[in-house]
Coordinates of all heavy atoms in Angstrom, one line a residue:
M5 N 0.8 -1.2 0.0 CA 0.0 0.0 0.0 C 0.9 1.3 0.0 O 1.8 1.4 0.8 CB -0.9 0.0 1.2 CG -1.6 1.3 1.4 SD -2.8 1.1 2.7 CE -4.3 1.4 1.8
P6 N 0.6 2.2 -0.9 CA 1.5 3.4 -1.0 C 1.3 4.2 0.3 O 0.2 4.4 0.8 CB 1.0 4.1 -2.2 CG 0.0 3.3 -2.8 CD -0.3 2.1 -2.0
T7 N 2.3 4.9 0.7 CA 2.3 5.7 1.9 C 2.6 7.1 1.5 O 3.1 7.4 0.3 CB 3.2 5.3 2.9 OG1 4.6 5.3 2.4 CG2 2.9 3.9 3.4
F8 N 2.5 8.1 2.4 CA 2.8 9.5 2.1 C 4.3 9.6 1.8 O 4.7 10.3 0.9 CB 2.5 10.4 3.3 CG 2.9 11.8 3.1 CD1 2.2 12.6 2.2 CD2 4.0 12.3 3.7 CE1 2.5 13.9 2.0 CE2 4.3 13.6 3.5 CZ 3.6 14.4 2.7
R9 N 5.1 8.8 2.5 CA 6.6 8.8 2.3 C 7.0 8.3 0.9 O 7.8 8.9 0.2 CB 7.3 8.0 3.3 CG 8.8 8.1 3.2 CD 9.5 7.2 4.3 NE 9.2 7.7 5.6 CZ 10.0 8.5 6.3 NH1 11.1 8.8 5.9 NH2 9.6 8.9 7.5
S10 N 6.3 7.3 0.4 CA 6.6 6.8 -0.9 C 6.2 7.8 -2.0 O 6.9 7.9 -3.0 CB 6.0 5.4 -1.1 OG 4.6 5.5 -1.1
A11 N 5.1 8.4 -1.8 CA 4.7 9.5 -2.8 C 5.6 10.7 -2.7 O 6.0 11.2 -3.8 CB 3.2 9.9 -2.4
W12 N 6.1 11.0 -1.5 CA 7.0 12.1 -1.4 C 8.3 11.8 -2.1 O 8.9 12.6 -2.9 CB 7.3 12.4 0.1 CG 8.2 13.5 0.3 CD1 9.6 13.5 0.4 CD2 7.9 14.9 0.4 NE1 10.1 14.7 0.6 CE2 9.1 15.6 0.7 CE3 6.7 15.6 0.4 CZ2 9.1 17.0 0.8 CZ3 6.8 17.0 0.6 CH2 8.0 17.7 0.8
N13 N 8.8 10.6 -1.9 CA 10.1 10.2 -2.6 C 9.9 10.1 -4.1 O 10.8 10.3 -4.9 CB 10.6 8.8 -2.0 CG 11.2 9.0 -0.6 OD1 11.6 10.1 -0.3 ND2 11.1 7.9 0.1
W14 N 8.7 9.7 -4.5 CA 8.4 9.6 -6.0 C 8.5 11.0 -6.6 O 9.0 11.1 -7.7 CB 7.1 8.9 -6.2 CG 6.7 8.8 -7.7 CD1 7.3 7.9 -8.5 CD2 5.8 9.5 -8.4 NE1 6.7 8.1 -9.8 CE2 5.8 9.1 -9.7 CE3 5.0 10.6 -8.1 CZ2 5.0 9.6 -10.7 CZ3 4.2 11.1 -9.0 CH2 4.2 10.7 -10.4
V15 N 7.9 11.9 -6.0 CA 7.9 13.3 -6.5 C 9.2 14.0 -6.4 O 9.8 14.6 -7.3 CB 6.7 14.1 -5.9 CG1 6.8 15.6 -6.4 CG2 5.4 13.5 -6.2
F16 N 9.8 14.0 -5.1 CA 10.9 14.8 -4.8 C 12.2 14.0 -4.7 O 13.2 14.5 -4.3 CB 10.7 15.6 -3.5 CG 9.6 16.6 -3.6 CD1 8.4 16.3 -3.0 CD2 9.7 17.7 -4.4 CE1 7.3 17.2 -3.1 CE2 8.6 18.6 -4.5 CZ 7.5 18.4 -3.9
G17 N 12.2 12.7 -5.0 CA 13.3 11.9 -4.8 C 14.4 12.1 -5.8 O 14.2 12.9 -6.7
K18 N 15.5 11.4 -5.7 CA 16.6 11.6 -6.7 C 16.2 10.8 -7.9 O 15.9 9.6 -7.9 CB 17.9 11.0 -6.0 CG 18.3 11.9 -4.9 CD 19.6 11.3 -4.3 CE 20.1 12.2 -3.1 NZ 21.3 11.7 -2.6
H19 N 16.4 11.5 -9.1 CA 16.1 10.9 -10.3 C 17.4 10.9 -11.2 O 18.2 11.8 -11.1 CB 15.0 11.6 -11.1 CG 13.7 11.6 -10.3 ND1 12.9 10.6 -10.2 CD2 13.1 12.6 -9.7 CE1 11.8 10.9 -9.5 NE2 11.9 12.2 -9.1
L20 N 17.6 9.9 -11.9 CA 18.8 9.8 -12.8 C 18.7 10.9 -13.8 O 17.6 11.2 -14.4 CB 18.9 8.5 -13.5 CG 19.1 7.3 -12.6 CD1 19.1 6.0 -13.4 CD2 20.4 7.4 -11.9
P21 N 19.8 11.6 -14.1 CA 19.8 12.7 -15.2 C 19.5 12.0 -16.6 O 19.9 10.9 -16.8 CB 21.1 13.3 -15.0 CG 22.0 12.3 -14.4 CD 21.1 11.5 -13.5
D22 N 18.9 12.8 -17.4 CA 18.7 12.4 -18.8 C 20.1 12.3 -19.5 O 20.9 13.2 -19.3 CB 17.8 13.3 -19.5 CG 16.4 13.3 -19.0 OD1 16.0 12.2 -18.4 OD2 15.6 14.3 -19.1
P23 N 20.2 11.4 -20.4 CA 21.5 11.4 -21.2 C 21.5 12.6 -22.1 O 20.5 13.2 -22.5 CB 21.4 10.1 -22.0 CG 19.9 9.8 -22.1 CD 19.3 10.3 -20.8
P24 N 22.7 13.0 -22.6 CA 22.8 14.2 -23.5 C 22.0 14.0 -24.8 O 22.1 12.9 -25.4 CB 24.3 14.3 -23.8 CG 25.0 13.6 -22.6 CD 24.0 12.5 -22.2
N25 N 21.3 14.9 -25.2 CA 20.4 14.9 -26.3 C 21.1 15.5 -27.5 O 21.4 16.7 -27.5 CB 19.1 15.6 -26.1 CG 18.1 15.5 -27.2 OD1 18.4 14.8 -28.2 ND2 16.9 16.0 -27.0
P26 N 21.4 14.7 -28.6 CA 22.1 15.3 -29.8 C 21.3 16.3 -30.6 O 21.8 17.0 -31.4 CB 22.5 14.1 -30.6 CG 21.5 13.0 -30.2 CD 21.1 13.3 -28.7
D27 N 20.0 16.4 -30.3 CA 19.1 17.3 -31.0 C 18.9 18.6 -30.2 O 18.2 19.5 -30.7 CB 17.7 16.6 -31.2 CG 17.8 15.4 -32.2 OD1 18.7 15.5 -33.1 OD2 17.0 14.5 -32.0
K28 N 19.4 18.7 -29.0 CA 19.2 19.9 -28.2 C 20.5 20.8 -28.3 O 21.6 20.3 -28.2 CB 19.0 19.5 -26.8 CG 18.7 20.6 -25.9 CD 18.4 20.1 -24.4 CE 18.2 21.3 -23.5 NZ 18.0 20.8 -22.1
T29 N 20.3 22.1 -28.5 CA 21.4 23.0 -28.6 C 21.6 23.7 -27.2 O 20.7 24.1 -26.6 CB 21.0 24.1 -29.6 OG1 20.8 23.5 -30.8 CG2 22.2 25.1 -29.8
V30 N 22.9 23.8 -26.8 CA 23.2 24.4 -25.5 C 24.4 25.4 -25.7 O 25.1 25.3 -26.7 CB 23.6 23.3 -24.5 CG1 22.4 22.4 -24.1 CG2 24.8 22.5 -24.9
E31 N 24.6 26.2 -24.8 CA 25.7 27.2 -24.8 C 27.0 26.6 -24.4 O 27.1 26.0 -23.3 CB 25.3 28.4 -23.9 CG 26.4 29.5 -23.9 CD 26.1 30.6 -22.9 OE1 25.0 31.0 -22.9 OE2 27.0 31.0 -22.2
A32 N 28.0 26.7 -25.2 CA 29.3 26.1 -24.8 C 30.2 27.2 -24.2 O 31.2 26.9 -23.5 CB 30.0 25.5 -26.0
G33 N 29.9 28.5 -24.5 CA 30.8 29.5 -23.9 C 30.3 30.9 -24.2 O 29.5 31.1 -25.2
W34 N 30.7 31.8 -23.4 CA 30.3 33.2 -23.5 C 31.6 34.0 -23.6 O 32.4 34.1 -22.6 CB 29.5 33.7 -22.3 CG 28.9 35.0 -22.3 CD1 28.1 35.5 -23.4 CD2 29.0 36.1 -21.4 NE1 27.7 36.8 -23.0 CE2 28.3 37.1 -21.8 CE3 29.6 36.1 -20.1 CZ2 28.1 38.3 -21.1 CZ3 29.5 37.3 -19.4 CH2 28.8 38.4 -19.9
V35 N 32.0 34.4 -24.8 CA 33.3 34.9 -25.0 C 33.2 36.4 -25.6 O 32.2 36.8 -26.1 CB 34.1 34.0 -26.0 CG1 34.3 32.6 -25.4 CG2 33.4 33.9 -27.3
P36 N 34.3 37.1 -25.6 CA 34.3 38.4 -26.4 C 34.0 38.2 -27.8 O 34.3 37.2 -28.4 CB 35.7 38.9 -26.2 CG 36.2 38.3 -24.9 CD 35.6 36.9 -24.9
V37 N 33.3 39.2 -28.4 CA 32.7 39.0 -29.8 C 33.8 38.8 -30.8 O 33.6 38.1 -31.8 CB 31.8 40.2 -30.1 CG1 32.6 41.4 -30.4 CG2 30.9 39.8 -31.3
W38 N 35.0 39.3 -30.6 CA 36.1 39.1 -31.6 C 36.6 37.7 -31.5 O 37.2 37.2 -32.5 CB 37.2 40.1 -31.3 CG 37.9 39.9 -30.0 CD1 37.6 40.6 -28.9 CD2 39.1 39.2 -29.8 NE1 38.5 40.2 -27.9 CE2 39.4 39.4 -28.4 CE3 39.9 38.3 -30.5 CZ2 40.5 38.7 -27.8 CZ3 40.9 37.7 -29.9 CH2 41.3 37.9 -28.5
Q39 N 36.3 36.9 -30.5 CA 36.8 35.5 -30.4 C 35.7 34.6 -31.0 O 36.0 33.4 -31.3 CB 37.1 35.1 -29.0 CG 38.3 35.7 -28.4 CD 38.6 35.2 -27.0 OE1 37.8 34.5 -26.4 NE2 39.7 35.6 -26.5
G40 N 34.5 35.0 -31.1 CA 33.4 34.2 -31.6 C 33.6 33.5 -32.9 O 33.6 32.2 -32.9
P41 N 33.9 34.2 -34.0 CA 34.1 33.6 -35.3 C 35.4 32.7 -35.2 O 35.4 31.6 -35.8 CB 34.3 34.7 -36.2 CG 33.8 35.9 -35.6 CD 33.9 35.7 -34.1
M42 N 36.4 33.1 -34.5 CA 37.6 32.3 -34.5 C 37.4 31.0 -33.8 O 37.8 29.9 -34.3 CB 38.7 33.2 -33.7 CG 40.1 32.6 -33.6 SD 41.3 33.7 -33.0 CE 40.5 34.3 -31.5
L43 N 36.8 31.0 -32.6 CA 36.5 29.8 -31.9 C 35.5 28.9 -32.6 O 35.7 27.7 -32.5 CB 36.0 30.1 -30.5 CG 37.1 30.8 -29.5 CD1 36.4 31.2 -28.2 CD2 38.2 29.8 -29.2
T44 N 34.6 29.5 -33.2 CA 33.6 28.6 -34.0 C 34.3 27.9 -35.1 O 34.1 26.7 -35.3 CB 32.4 29.5 -34.5 OG1 31.8 30.2 -33.4 CG2 31.4 28.7 -35.2
E45 N 35.1 28.6 -35.8 CA 35.9 28.0 -36.9 C 36.8 26.9 -36.4 O 37.0 25.8 -36.9 CB 36.7 29.0 -37.6 CG 37.3 28.6 -39.0 CD 36.2 28.2 -40.0 OE1 35.2 28.8 -40.0 OE2 36.5 27.3 -40.8
L46 N 37.4 27.1 -35.2 CA 38.3 26.1 -34.6 C 37.5 24.9 -34.2 O 37.9 23.8 -34.4 CB 39.0 26.7 -33.3 CG 39.8 25.8 -32.5 CD1 41.1 25.4 -33.2 CD2 40.2 26.4 -31.2
L47 N 36.3 25.1 -33.6 CA 35.5 24.0 -33.3 C 35.0 23.2 -34.5 O 35.0 22.0 -34.5 CB 34.2 24.5 -32.5 CG 34.5 25.0 -31.1 CD1 33.3 25.6 -30.5 CD2 34.9 23.8 -30.2
K48 N 34.7 23.9 -35.6 CA 34.3 23.2 -36.8 C 35.4 22.4 -37.4 O 35.2 21.3 -37.9 CB 33.8 24.2 -37.8 CG 32.4 24.8 -37.5 CD 32.0 25.8 -38.6 CE 30.7 26.4 -38.3 NZ 30.3 27.4 -39.3
N49 N 36.7 22.9 -37.3 CA 37.8 22.2 -37.8 C 38.1 20.9 -36.9 O 38.7 20.0 -37.5 CB 39.1 23.1 -37.8 CG 39.0 24.2 -38.9 OD1 38.2 24.0 -39.8 ND2 39.7 25.2 -38.7
E50 N 37.7 21.0 -35.7 CA 37.9 19.8 -34.8 C 36.7 18.8 -34.9 O 36.7 17.8 -34.3 CB 38.0 20.2 -33.4 CG 39.2 21.1 -33.0 CD 40.5 20.2 -33.1 OE1 40.4 19.0 -32.8 OE2 41.6 20.8 -33.4
G51 N 35.8 19.1 -35.8 CA 34.6 18.2 -36.0 C 33.4 18.4 -35.1 O 32.5 17.6 -35.1
V52 N 33.4 19.6 -34.4 CA 32.3 19.9 -33.5 C 31.4 21.0 -34.2 O 31.9 22.1 -34.4 CB 32.8 20.4 -32.1 CG1 31.6 20.8 -31.3 CG2 33.7 19.4 -31.4
P53 N 30.2 20.6 -34.6 CA 29.4 21.6 -35.2 C 29.0 22.7 -34.2 O 28.5 22.5 -33.1 CB 28.1 20.8 -35.6 CG 28.1 19.6 -34.9 CD 29.5 19.3 -34.5
A54 N 29.3 24.0 -34.6 CA 29.0 25.1 -33.7 C 28.6 26.3 -34.5 O 28.9 26.5 -35.7 CB 30.4 25.4 -33.0
V55 N 27.9 27.2 -33.8 CA 27.5 28.5 -34.3 C 27.7 29.5 -33.2 O 27.8 29.2 -32.0 CB 26.0 28.6 -34.8 CG1 25.8 27.6 -35.9 CG2 25.1 28.3 -33.6
W56 N 27.9 30.8 -33.6 CA 28.0 31.9 -32.6 C 27.0 33.0 -33.0 O 26.7 33.2 -34.1 CB 29.5 32.4 -32.6 CG 29.8 33.3 -33.8 CD1 30.3 32.8 -34.9 CD2 29.8 34.7 -33.8 NE1 30.5 33.9 -35.8 CE2 30.3 35.1 -35.1 CE3 29.5 35.7 -32.9 CZ2 30.4 36.4 -35.5 CZ3 29.6 37.0 -33.3 CH2 30.0 37.4 -34.6
V57 N 26.6 33.7 -31.9 CA 25.7 34.8 -32.1 C 26.2 35.9 -31.2 O 26.7 35.7 -30.2 CB 24.2 34.5 -31.8 CG1 23.7 33.5 -32.8 CG2 24.1 34.0 -30.4
E58 N 26.0 37.2 -31.7 CA 26.4 38.3 -30.8 C 25.3 38.5 -29.7 O 24.1 38.4 -30.0 CB 26.4 39.5 -31.7 CG 27.0 40.7 -31.0 CD 27.3 41.9 -31.9 OE1 27.2 41.7 -33.1 OE2 27.6 43.0 -31.4
D59 N 25.8 38.7 -28.5 CA 24.9 38.8 -27.4 C 24.6 40.3 -27.2 O 25.5 41.1 -26.8 CB 25.6 38.3 -26.1 CG 24.7 38.3 -24.9 OD1 23.5 38.4 -25.1 OD2 25.2 38.1 -23.8
F60 N 23.4 40.7 -27.6 CA 23.0 42.1 -27.5 C 22.5 42.4 -26.0 O 21.5 41.8 -25.6 CB 21.9 42.4 -28.4 CG 22.3 42.3 -29.9 CD1 22.0 41.2 -30.6 CD2 23.1 43.3 -30.5 CE1 22.5 41.1 -31.9 CE2 23.5 43.2 -31.7 CZ 23.2 42.1 -32.5
N61 N 23.3 43.1 -25.3 CA 23.0 43.4 -23.9 C 22.7 44.9 -23.7 O 23.5 45.7 -24.2 CB 24.2 43.0 -23.0 CG 23.9 43.1 -21.6 OD1 22.8 43.4 -21.2 ND2 24.8 42.9 -20.8
L62 N 21.6 45.2 -23.1 CA 21.3 46.6 -22.9 C 22.2 47.3 -21.8 O 22.5 48.4 -21.9 CB 19.8 46.8 -22.5 CG 18.8 46.3 -23.6 CD1 17.4 46.4 -23.1 CD2 19.0 47.2 -24.8
N63 N 22.5 46.5 -20.9 CA 23.4 47.0 -19.8 C 24.8 46.6 -20.0 O 25.3 45.6 -19.4 CB 22.9 46.5 -18.4 CG 21.4 46.9 -18.2 OD1 21.0 47.9 -18.6 ND2 20.7 46.0 -17.6
M64 N 25.5 47.3 -20.8 CA 26.9 46.9 -21.2 C 27.8 46.8 -20.1 O 28.7 45.9 -20.0 CB 27.4 47.8 -22.3 CG 28.7 47.4 -22.9 SD 28.3 46.0 -24.0 CE 29.2 46.5 -25.4
G65 N 27.8 47.7 -19.1 CA 28.8 47.7 -18.1 C 28.5 46.8 -16.9 O 29.2 46.7 -15.9
V66 N 27.3 46.1 -16.9 CA 26.9 45.3 -15.7 C 27.8 44.0 -15.6 O 28.4 43.7 -14.6 CB 25.4 45.0 -15.7 CG1 25.1 44.1 -14.6 CG2 24.6 46.3 -15.6
Y67 N 27.8 43.2 -16.7 CA 28.5 41.9 -16.6 C 29.9 42.0 -17.3 O 30.7 41.2 -17.0 CB 27.7 40.9 -17.3 CG 26.4 40.6 -16.6 CD1 25.2 41.0 -17.2 CD2 26.4 39.8 -15.5 CE1 24.0 40.7 -16.5 CE2 25.2 39.5 -14.8 CZ 24.0 40.0 -15.3 OH 22.9 39.7 -14.7
N68 N 30.0 43.0 -18.2 CA 31.3 43.0 -19.0 C 31.5 44.4 -19.5 O 30.6 45.3 -19.5 CB 31.2 42.0 -20.1 CG 30.0 42.3 -21.0 OD1 29.1 42.9 -20.6 ND2 30.1 41.8 -22.3
R69 N 32.6 44.7 -20.1 CA 32.9 46.0 -20.6 C 33.1 46.0 -22.2 O 33.6 46.9 -22.7 CB 34.1 46.6 -20.0 CG 34.0 46.7 -18.5 CD 34.2 48.1 -18.0 NE 34.0 48.2 -16.6 CZ 33.1 49.0 -16.0 NH1 32.3 49.7 -16.8 NH2 33.1 49.1 -14.7
E70 N 32.8 44.9 -22.8 CA 33.0 44.8 -24.2 C 31.8 43.9 -24.8 O 31.1 43.3 -24.0 CB 34.3 44.1 -24.6 CG 34.5 42.7 -24.0 CD 35.9 42.2 -24.3 OE1 36.5 42.6 -25.3 OE2 36.3 41.4 -23.5
A71 N 31.7 44.0 -26.1 CA 30.6 43.2 -26.7 C 31.0 41.7 -26.6 O 32.1 41.4 -26.7 CB 30.5 43.6 -28.2
M72 N 29.9 40.9 -26.3 CA 30.2 39.5 -26.1 C 29.4 38.7 -27.1 O 28.5 39.2 -27.8 CB 29.7 39.1 -24.7 CG 30.4 39.8 -23.6 SD 32.2 39.4 -23.5 CE 32.1 37.9 -22.6
A73 N 29.8 37.4 -27.3 CA 29.2 36.5 -28.2 C 29.0 35.2 -27.4 O 29.7 34.8 -26.5 CB 30.1 36.2 -29.4
R74 N 27.9 34.4 -27.9 CA 27.6 33.1 -27.3 C 27.9 32.1 -28.4 O 27.6 32.3 -29.5 CB 26.2 33.0 -26.9 CG 25.8 33.9 -25.8 CD 24.3 33.8 -25.6 NE 23.8 34.7 -24.5 CZ 23.5 34.3 -23.3 NH1 23.7 33.1 -22.9 NH2 23.1 35.2 -22.4
I75 N 28.6 31.0 -27.9 CA 28.9 29.9 -28.9 C 27.9 28.7 -28.5 O 27.9 28.3 -27.3 CB 30.3 29.5 -28.7 CG1 31.2 30.6 -29.2 CG2 30.6 28.2 -29.6 CD1 32.7 30.4 -29.0
F76 N 27.2 28.2 -29.5 CA 26.3 27.1 -29.2 C 26.7 25.9 -29.9 O 27.2 25.9 -31.1 CB 24.9 27.5 -29.7 CG 24.2 28.6 -28.9 CD1 24.2 29.9 -29.4 CD2 23.6 28.3 -27.7 CE1 23.7 30.9 -28.6 CE2 23.0 29.3 -27.0 CZ 23.0 30.6 -27.4
V77 N 26.5 24.7 -29.3 CA 26.8 23.4 -29.8 C 25.7 22.5 -29.4 O 24.9 22.8 -28.6 CB 28.2 22.8 -29.3 CG1 29.4 23.7 -29.8 CG2 28.2 22.7 -27.8
T78 N 25.7 21.2 -29.9 CA 24.8 20.3 -29.5 C 25.1 19.8 -28.1 O 26.3 19.8 -27.7 CB 24.6 19.1 -30.5 OG1 25.9 18.5 -30.6 CG2 24.1 19.5 -31.8
E79 N 24.1 19.3 -27.3 CA 24.3 19.0 -25.9 C 25.3 17.8 -25.8 O 26.1 17.8 -24.8 CB 23.0 18.6 -25.3 CG 23.0 18.4 -23.8 CD 21.7 18.1 -23.2 OE1 20.8 17.5 -23.9 OE2 21.4 18.6 -22.1
D80 N 25.3 16.9 -26.7 CA 26.2 15.7 -26.6 C 27.7 16.1 -26.8 O 28.6 15.4 -26.5 CB 25.8 14.6 -27.5 CG 25.8 14.9 -28.9 OD1 25.7 16.2 -29.2 OD2 25.9 14.0 -29.8
R81 N 28.0 17.3 -27.4 CA 29.3 17.7 -27.7 C 29.8 18.9 -26.9 O 30.8 19.5 -27.1 CB 29.4 18.1 -29.2 CG 29.0 17.1 -30.2 CD 29.8 15.9 -30.3 NE 31.1 16.0 -30.8 CZ 31.5 16.0 -32.1 NH1 30.6 15.8 -33.0 NH2 32.7 16.2 -32.4
K82 N 29.0 19.2 -25.8 CA 29.3 20.4 -25.0 C 30.6 20.2 -24.3 O 31.4 21.2 -24.3 CB 28.2 20.6 -24.0 CG 28.4 21.8 -23.1 CD 27.3 22.0 -22.1 CE 27.6 23.2 -21.2 NZ 26.6 23.4 -20.2
A83 N 30.9 19.1 -23.6 CA 32.1 18.9 -22.8 C 33.3 19.0 -23.8 O 34.3 19.6 -23.4 CB 32.1 17.6 -22.1
E84 N 33.2 18.4 -24.9 CA 34.3 18.5 -25.9 C 34.6 19.9 -26.4 O 35.8 20.3 -26.4 CB 34.0 17.6 -27.1 CG 35.1 17.5 -28.1 CD 34.7 16.6 -29.3 OE1 33.6 16.0 -29.2 OE2 35.5 16.5 -30.3
A85 N 33.5 20.6 -26.6 CA 33.7 22.0 -27.1 C 34.3 22.9 -26.0 O 35.2 23.7 -26.2 CB 32.3 22.6 -27.5
E86 N 33.8 22.7 -24.7 CA 34.4 23.5 -23.6 C 35.9 23.2 -23.4 O 36.7 24.1 -23.1 CB 33.6 23.2 -22.3 CG 32.2 23.8 -22.3 CD 31.5 23.5 -21.0 OE1 31.8 22.5 -20.4 OE2 30.5 24.2 -20.8
A87 N 36.3 21.9 -23.6 CA 37.7 21.6 -23.5 C 38.5 22.2 -24.6 O 39.6 22.7 -24.3 CB 37.8 20.0 -23.5
I88 N 38.0 22.3 -25.8 CA 38.7 22.9 -26.9 C 38.9 24.4 -26.7 O 39.9 25.0 -26.9 CB 38.0 22.6 -28.3 CG1 38.1 21.1 -28.6 CG2 38.5 23.5 -29.4 CD1 37.3 20.7 -29.7
I89 N 37.8 25.0 -26.2 CA 37.8 26.5 -25.9 C 38.8 26.8 -24.8 O 39.6 27.7 -24.9 CB 36.4 27.0 -25.6 CG1 35.5 26.9 -26.8 CG2 36.5 28.4 -25.0 CD1 34.0 27.2 -26.5
E90 N 38.8 25.9 -23.8 CA 39.8 26.1 -22.7 C 41.2 25.9 -23.1 O 42.1 26.7 -22.7 CB 39.4 25.2 -21.5 CG 40.3 25.4 -20.3 CD 39.8 24.6 -19.1 OE1 38.8 23.9 -19.2 OE2 40.5 24.6 -18.1
D91 N 41.5 24.9 -24.0 CA 42.8 24.7 -24.5 C 43.3 25.9 -25.3 O 44.5 26.3 -25.2 CB 42.9 23.5 -25.3 CG 42.8 22.2 -24.5 OD1 43.0 22.3 -23.3 OD2 42.5 21.1 -25.1
F92 N 42.4 26.5 -26.1 CA 42.8 27.6 -27.0 C 43.0 28.9 -26.2 O 43.9 29.6 -26.4 CB 41.8 27.8 -28.1 CG 42.1 28.8 -29.1 CD1 43.1 28.4 -30.1 CD2 41.6 30.0 -29.1 CE1 43.5 29.4 -31.0 CE2 41.9 30.9 -30.1 CZ 42.9 30.6 -31.0
T93 N 42.0 29.2 -25.4 CA 42.0 30.5 -24.7 C 42.9 30.5 -23.4 O 43.3 31.6 -22.9 CB 40.6 31.0 -24.3 OG1 40.0 30.1 -23.5 CG2 39.8 31.2 -25.6
G94 N 43.0 29.4 -22.8 CA 43.8 29.2 -21.5 C 42.9 29.4 -20.3 O 43.5 29.3 -19.2
T95 N 41.7 29.8 -20.4 CA 40.8 29.9 -19.3 C 39.5 29.1 -19.6 O 39.1 28.9 -20.8 CB 40.4 31.3 -19.0 OG1 39.7 31.9 -20.2 CG2 41.6 32.2 -18.7
S96 N 38.8 28.7 -18.6 CA 37.6 27.9 -18.8 C 36.5 28.9 -19.3 O 36.5 30.0 -18.9 CB 37.1 27.3 -17.5 OG 36.8 28.2 -16.5
P97 N 35.7 28.4 -20.3 CA 34.7 29.3 -20.9 C 33.6 29.7 -19.8 O 33.2 28.9 -19.0 CB 34.1 28.5 -22.0 CG 34.4 27.1 -21.7 CD 35.6 27.1 -20.9
R98 N 33.3 31.0 -19.9 CA 32.2 31.5 -19.0 C 30.9 31.3 -19.6 O 30.7 31.1 -20.8 CB 32.4 33.0 -18.8 CG 33.7 33.4 -18.1 CD 33.7 34.9 -17.8 NE 33.6 35.7 -19.0 CZ 33.5 37.0 -19.0 NH1 33.4 37.6 -17.9 NH2 33.4 37.6 -20.1
H99 N 29.8 31.2 -18.7 CA 28.4 31.1 -19.2 C 27.6 32.2 -18.6 O 27.8 32.6 -17.4 CB 27.9 29.7 -18.8 CG 28.6 28.6 -19.4 ND1 28.4 28.2 -20.6 CD2 29.6 27.8 -18.9 CE1 29.2 27.2 -20.9 NE2 29.9 26.9 -19.8
R100 N 26.8 32.8 -19.4 CA 25.9 33.9 -19.0 C 24.6 33.4 -18.6 O 23.9 32.7 -19.3 CB 25.8 34.9 -20.1 CG 24.7 35.9 -19.9 CD 25.4 37.2 -19.4 NE 24.4 38.1 -18.9 CZ 23.9 39.1 -19.7 NH1 24.3 39.2 -20.9 NH2 23.0 39.9 -19.1
K101 N 24.2 33.6 -17.4 CA 22.9 33.2 -16.9 C 21.8 34.1 -17.5 O 22.0 35.3 -17.6 CB 22.8 33.3 -15.4 CG 23.7 32.3 -14.7 CD 23.6 32.4 -13.2 CE 24.5 31.4 -12.6 NZ 24.6 31.5 -11.1
L102 N 20.7 33.5 -17.9 CA 19.6 34.3 -18.5 C 18.8 34.9 -17.4 O 18.6 34.5 -16.4 CB 18.8 33.4 -19.4 CG 19.5 32.9 -20.6 CD1 18.6 32.0 -21.4 CD2 20.0 34.0 -21.5

């Protein structure tokens, strides 16, 4: 017979994370806009499909002092893309919270 505890664990219990979805697009890095095309081309040469877009921010001085770009890859290649970006730039890629 189900109890309140079993229902609580079913709703709020620990669930296994979903595997990376190759059809889902995620952000691999938030970089200065002048690095966007360069890093995207580097990722494409390494076999990781990637695109970059300019991040239009109304409050330029709040998070950064220069124009920024976001690099997007598929979810299953995110770790590989972040490693390539870190190897090239020397720092781990930042992510911008929405």
